[in-house]
Amino acid sequence: MSDLLHEEEIGQWRRTHYSSEINSSLEDREVIIMGWVSSKRDHGNIQFIIIRDRYGDIQVMAKKSECSKRLFGQLQQIKEHTSLAIRGTVRPQEKAPSGVEIIPLELKAFSIARKAAPFMMQSKTSIGIDTRLDLRAIDLRRNILQSIFHIRYTVLNASREFLARQGFIEVNTPKMIATATEGGAALFPIFYYDREAFLAQSPQLYKEQLTMAFESVFEIGPIFRAEPSRTNRHLSEAISIDIEKAFVDYNDVMSLLERMILHVLDSVKEKNKNDLAYLEFQLPNIELPFARYSYSDLIEQLQGGGERIRWGDDLSPQAMKNLPDDRMNGFYFITDWPTSIKPFYVKPKFVPESGRVSESFDLMYGPLEISSGSTRVNRKDELLERMKKQGLNTQAFDYHLKVFDYGVPPHAGFGVGLERLIMAITKIDNIRDASLYPRDIDRLSP
Ligand code: AMO
């Protein structure tokens, strides 16, 4: 009995149908399915085995009286997660999840699971995230993560599609860089031959430079942030959807961003109906334009509500929760942030407060920041002054400042945190589940 089941090569066997393609019109037809054992029930004389492939599940039913002794024995030995192929005939079965089942004739086990995974494929809630992340490739087979990552794929495609239609060209900028761009966030130093270099926190300066050659550019790529804190909304490596556009200001790119979000949500609604149903989540019907609140107004409101916050402080999610009304639901913008807490490339607003506030915005979803953007400084003397005010070593930015001698256009842009957007769309509360292999202060593998 013990050696009935052994691992075999795929050889000439090929899948004839995915699980989703098998229906009663194939009654009595012979098919070959391939996938993984997702669950099994053994009733002694009858066994039910659910096989999962990328499109779903299909039931295999074996009766002792209808099956060779060898095949029945093999099925009894097989464990969940084993990868295998089954050749069998299709039979309608009302009680089966998809209305049909496979009566097996022959089985090939490709790779036999040796251990029981610490979680079930079907379970929605599950044991601690660290146990799951340690076995991420297996965890990712779970329905809930399948839904999240199918939605993520739609979000990426829809963003690309939208930006391409708006005349943007996709670019890729260096991820090994010489200088910081985002003041607040820490850098990861790396060895670059005999010099110190850093992993890019953002494509910021490159995307700005590229407006000189291409006017409208976007990049979907990794950003690296040495985040010392353990929160449910920070990763050390995230994906950002960055855009930059010439001859516009922050109002124009806010409008572009909200239209992009609308297109993304419409695409998810259309393409991910089953995933949304599984997540039991109805996407909000959003209306444009999104509400816009100025930073100063929100500070006043918070102060009015007794919050101890000063003009110039950052708006933390904790503080945001204390806003006196429920206007902060769904998507909205916070605009005109203090110049002092925005990076050097953000353009100060000269009316009416003479540079104290900047032409900047954050796109929020409830208390979660999804994106930030701004009009950029496009004159060299102004940029130098902003750098000096922020205590930066201007020589380190020579490579960037140089291009300002050759006609940098007025320009504006934004960066959207992809995983944050997925959090908003799927209602997950830990950003790690929006990343295939998340990186944080405690985790560098798998
Ligand atoms: P910012 O630093 O606000 O702006 O980043 C843009 C967006 O990226 C996401 N994000 C993160 N997501 C997960 N983990 C992190 N550690 C993390 N850090 C940032 C957020 C955030 O809104 N250069 C500017 C963008 C621009 O002005 O074009 C920038 O990097 O969703």
Side-chain angles (χ1 to χ4, degrees):
M1 178 88 171
S2 62
D3 57 353
L4 274 181
L5 197 66
H6 52 93
E7 289 171 345
E8 292 180 71
E9 298 297 319
I10 187 167
Q12 298 304 310
W13 281 41
R14 290 295 176 271
R15 166 193 277 139
T16 60
H17 297 80
Y18 283 105
S19 59
S20 56
E21 293 168 327
I22 298 182
N23 53 46
S24 50
S25 74
L26 297 174
E27 185 169 355
D28 293 334
R29 278 267 299 274
E30 203 176 293
V31 295
I32 295 180
I33 53 166
M34 294 191 179
W36 296 265
V37 176
S38 103
S39 68
K40 58 177 288 195
R41 274 180 297 140
D42 190 340
H43 297 294
N45 288 334
I46 176 163
Q47 295 186 67
F48 296 98
I49 297 189
I50 307 290
I51 307 294
R52 166 162 302 185
D53 61 25
R54 57 179 299 194
Y55 294 116
D57 292 338
I58 181 92
Q59 175 168 300
V60 174
M61 194 281 292
K63 273 190 191 155
K64 203 168 188 174
S65 56
E66 287 179 358
C67 222
S68 76
K69 206 172 162 192
R70 177 182 152 76
L71 178 58
F72 199 77
Q74 284 178 321
L75 291 168
Q76 273 178 325
Q77 283 180 3
I78 216 140
K79 285 206 172 70
E80 277 170 12
H81 293 288
T82 290
S83 78
L84 81 179
I86 286 182
R87 185 172 66 80
T89 44
V90 179
R91 189 156 80 188
Q93 172 55 265
E94 266 178 31
K95 288 181 193 150
S98 61
V100 278
E101 61 187 8
I102 308 284
I103 310 299
L105 298 166
E106 197 180 349
L107 171 157
K108 256 193 196 208
F110 299 129
S111 174
I112 296 171
R114 287 166 221 292
K115 288 184 182 169
F119 36 77
M120 297 284 288
M121 284 204 203
Q122 288 81 0
S123 60
K124 245 182 209 184
T125 51
S126 165
I127 46 154
I129 190 161
D130 274 312
T131 311
R132 293 198 287 109
L133 290 176
D134 285 343
L135 264 184
R136 187 58 155 173
I138 321 303
D139 185 31
L140 290 169
R141 287 194 203 145
R142 292 192 311 128
N143 295 347
I144 188 158
L145 290 173
Q146 289 272 312
S147 290
I148 292 169
F149 285 95
H150 286 153
I151 289 174
R152 185 182 192 269
Y153 182 57
T154 305
V155 170
L156 283 170
N157 275 342
S159 306
R160 278 206 168 87
E161 185 179 70
F162 175 82
L163 292 168
R165 265 193 225 145
Q166 300 293 319
F168 282 75
I169 154 169
E170 183 163 4
V171 298
N172 300 99
T173 64
K175 300 303 157 214
M176 297 188 285
I177 56 163
T179 51
T181 57
E182 310 306 319
L187 289 155
F188 283 109
I190 52 169
F191 292 112
Y192 190 75
Y193 303 104
D194 58 347
R195 269 159 292 167
E196 185 179 48
F198 305 97
L199 293 178
Q201 294 165 311
S202 149
Q204 185 62 36
L205 304 185
Y206 293 104
K207 66 174 182 170
E208 287 192 51
Q209 292 193 9
L210 290 173
T211 63
M212 300 177 75
F214 303 104
E215 293 203 19
S216 302
V217 295
F218 79 97
E219 173 163 12
I220 301 181
I223 56 171
F224 302 94
R225 312 255 168 136
E227 299 282 356
S229 49
R230 296 173 176 85
T231 78
N232 278 356
R233 57 180 206 287
H234 288 96
L235 294 167
S236 316
E237 179 174 348
I239 299 294
S240 86
I241 306 171
D242 267 277
I243 75 115
E244 203 66 30
K245 187 170 166 67
F247 306 113
V248 293
D249 72 7
Y250 73 137
N251 286 309
D252 301 291
V253 293
M254 269 192 275
S255 146
L256 185 82
L257 175 52
E258 61 192 4
R259 283 183 286 129
M260 183 172 106
I261 299 284
L262 181 65
H263 178 68
V264 164
L265 293 188
D266 283 348
S267 304
V268 172
K269 274 183 205 166
E270 187 195 322
K271 300 199 165 116
N272 297 91
K273 290 192 178 84
N274 292 344
D275 299 309
L276 291 169
Y278 187 79
L279 292 168
E280 291 169 6
F281 182 50
Q282 287 231 313
L283 279 176
N285 285 320
I286 57 172
E287 277 181 31
L288 301 191
F290 293 159
R292 286 153 167 74
Y293 307 113
S294 81
Y295 167 90
S296 299
D297 283 351
L298 293 187
I299 290 287
E300 254 175 48
Q301 278 192 36
L302 283 170
Q303 287 170 339
E307 189 75 13
R308 290 180 63 181
I309 192 164
R310 285 168 309 182
W311 196 95
D313 288 348
D314 204 357
L315 284 170
S316 68
Q318 284 72 20
M320 299 287 293
K321 283 190 180 137
N322 295 328
L323 278 163
D325 58 23
D326 60 356
R327 289 191 305 179
M328 306 304 152
N329 286 327
F331 291 103
Y332 60 95
F333 287 108
I334 304 178
T335 68
D336 300 27
W337 290 75
T339 306
S340 56
I341 56 171
K342 284 287 173 188
F344 63 89
Y345 53 78
V346 172
K347 189 176 169 65
K349 194 169 176 171
F350 285 103
V351 280
E353 294 197 65
S354 207
R356 202 163 82 107
V357 296
S358 56
E359 295 193 14
S360 57
F361 62 86
D362 280 2
L363 173 66
M364 309 293 295
Y365 183 78
L368 184 69
E369 178 194 320
I370 304 288
S371 171
S372 49
S374 59
T375 313
R376 325 298 193 179
V377 175
N378 74 312
R379 298 215 181 89
K380 190 174 189 173
D381 51 354
E382 203 181 322
L383 194 61
L384 270 165
E385 194 189 309
R386 292 274 293 128
M387 284 176 166
K388 282 183 194 146
K389 266 206 181 125
Q390 297 210 349
L392 294 170
N393 170 9
T394 55
Q395 268 176 357
F397 290 93
D398 266 354
Y399 74 97
H400 183 57
L401 288 161
K402 235 189 236 170
V403 306
F404 283 70
D405 292 329
Y406 302 95
V408 175
H411 60 288
F414 58 74
V416 174
L418 174 66
E419 293 84 358
R420 298 261 184 105
L421 183 56
I422 300 299
M423 286 176 83
I425 293 179
T426 60
K427 270 282 187 320
I428 53 171
D429 53 19
N430 193 332
I431 195 167
R432 288 163 187 78
D433 270 332
S435 173
L436 289 168
Y437 293 99
R439 293 283 175 265
D440 61 38
I441 190 166
D442 302 310
R443 184 171 287 278
L444 188 57
S445 68

